[in-house]
Amino acid sequence: MASALEAALARRSSPKVTDAAPDDAALRALLEGAARVADHASLRPWRVIALRGAARERLGHALATAAGAEGDAAAKLAAKPLRAPLLVAVVAVVTPGHPKVPEWEQEASAAGVAHLLSLLLDEAGWGVMWRSGPHTRHPLVAEMHGLAPNERLLGWLYVGGVPSGGRVERRSERLAASRLTTLD
């Protein structure tokens, strides 16, 4: 098993995946690790929804309808969720008006689960890419996922097997030096 730093440095998005996907038991095991994300007041302000099979088609229809798309544009948008055999919808479960944890922090914790889960999926050998879009929070898309009024969709992890050609090479540029500021 790689160290956390090695796994983070090796992680890359996989825009194309095969039809293989982790089953629910494998997904739950990785989610146990992702659940260790920072969580002020132990609210656990997140949940995930695994979309497989026809659920991906229903999502595609909801996206096309939300966009008001017709014809070829609707068909193209409806096909997007079919690019991976498993979509993991990441949902922020917000407790409005919490006295210690503002809503933005609850969403940040849920986003942390998404990122950590994507890292763990990648490290386990799966292809994964976090996708969202302009209709992520549209009421029709929320309804398709069965979201409650206090739940906000953050996007989907598209998950599948890594194609036989291998993984896309990671960009070699180093960002930390240009993104770190130190104050004394």
Side-chain angles (χ1 to χ4, degrees), residues 25-49:
L27 185 59
R28 272 192 301 272
L30 296 174
L31 192 55
E32 284 297 334
R36 306 292 188 221
V37 71
D39 177 8
H40 189 185
S42 298
L43 293 178
R44 294 178 187 87
W46 57 270
R47 71 181 179 108
V48 300
I49 303 166

Side-chain angles (χ1 to χ4, degrees), residues 45-153:
W46 57 270
R47 71 181 179 108
V48 300
I49 303 166
L51 297 142
R52 301 178 192 273
R56 298 171 306 139
E57 294 173 7
R58 289 192 304 275
L59 172 58
H61 179 72
L63 289 169
T65 303
E70 297 179 359
D72 289 343
K76 184 177 178 181
L77 191 53
K80 287 188 175 192
L82 304 178
R83 294 184 288 187
L86 169 63
L87 276 62
V88 179
V90 180
V91 179
V93 182
V94 176
T95 302
H98 191 279
K100 291 184 178 181
V101 188
E103 291 182 24
W104 70 263
E105 190 175 336
Q106 296 175 53
E107 286 198 35
S109 183
V113 169
H115 178 69
L116 190 49
L117 182 57
S118 74
L119 179 67
L120 293 169
L121 284 160
D122 182 84
E123 200 260 340
W126 295 105
V128 60
M129 185 163 189
W130 188 350
R131 297 184 187 268
S132 60
H135 307 295
T136 301
R137 294 202 175 171
H138 191 282
L140 290 174
V141 176
E143 180 182 336
M144 181 269 147
H145 287 84
L147 301 187
N150 67 318
E151 294 183 321
R152 300 173 187 160
L153 183 62

